Amino acid sequence: MEKEVHEQYEYARKRIRQKKALYFHFVLFLLGSLFLFVANRFFGFSIGTEQNWCTWIITLWFFIFILHFIKIYITDRFMNKKWEREQIDRLVALQQKRINQLESSINDNPENKI
């Protein structure tokens, strides 16, 4: 029972670290976007260019943030240790079933008997 409690604790700890990193990434994204916008608009970093370069950087950064969000709240939520363990157990059961079928076909085949 203690092992189960420890696994639950470690899983919760890992999820908290992931969410904390996501929130930090979000704050960094907001501050970085604000800095890029201010640098582009008010400090003249866009002189000589007609395109709004900070918009492209912010859009790319937002896309990366969305991927991070999907990983934390969708992918890792469903494909955790429990899911992995269930998939392994299912595949082992399928392999064992196939081995049993092969053994029974060998045992039932009269040509294999000596």
Side-chain angles (χ1 to χ4, degrees), residues 28-46 52-62:
L28 189 65
F29 167 71
L30 289 178
L31 293 176
S33 298
L34 180 66
F35 172 76
L36 289 172
F37 177 76
V38 168
N40 185 41
R41 181 72 69 168
F42 300 112
F43 292 122
F45 285 114
S46 64
N52 201 358
W53 59 270
C54 75
T55 306
W56 291 106
I57 294 173
I58 292 170
T59 303
L60 179 66
W61 198 351
F62 182 71

Side-chain angles (χ1 to χ4, degrees), residues 93-104:
L94 286 173
Q95 289 174 348
Q96 191 61 41
K97 180 181 175 184
R98 181 69 179 142
I99 289 170
N100 290 340
Q101 287 175 345
L102 289 172
E103 285 177 348
S104 66

Side-chain angles (χ1 to χ4, degrees), residues 2-65:
E2 188 173 311
K3 181 181 176 184
E4 214 173 280
V5 172
H6 181 70
E7 284 180 3
Q8 290 174 347
Y9 172 77
E10 286 299 319
Y11 174 72
R13 189 169 167 223
K14 179 185 170 195
R15 291 290 295 162
I16 294 292
R17 268 191 266 129
Q18 288 176 336
K19 289 179 181 181
K20 185 178 176 182
L22 180 69
Y23 297 146
F24 179 76
H25 187 183
F26 180 69
V27 170
L28 189 65
F29 167 71
L30 289 178
L31 293 176
S33 298
L34 180 66
F35 172 76
L36 289 172
F37 177 76
V38 168
N40 185 41
R41 181 72 69 168
F42 300 112
F43 292 122
F45 285 114
S46 64
I47 294 175
T49 61
E50 292 184 19
Q51 290 187 341
N52 201 358
W53 59 270
C54 75
T55 306
W56 291 106
I57 294 173
I58 292 170
T59 303
L60 179 66
W61 198 351
F62 182 71
F63 178 71
I64 292 169
F65 175 75

Side-chain angles (χ1 to χ4, degrees), residues 61-79:
W61 198 351
F62 182 71
F63 178 71
I64 292 169
F65 175 75
I66 293 298
L67 290 177
H68 191 180
F69 179 86
I70 289 170
K71 181 185 181 304
I72 300 300
Y73 280 103
I74 296 174
T75 307
D76 284 353
R77 186 175 188 184
F78 297 110
M79 294 183 181

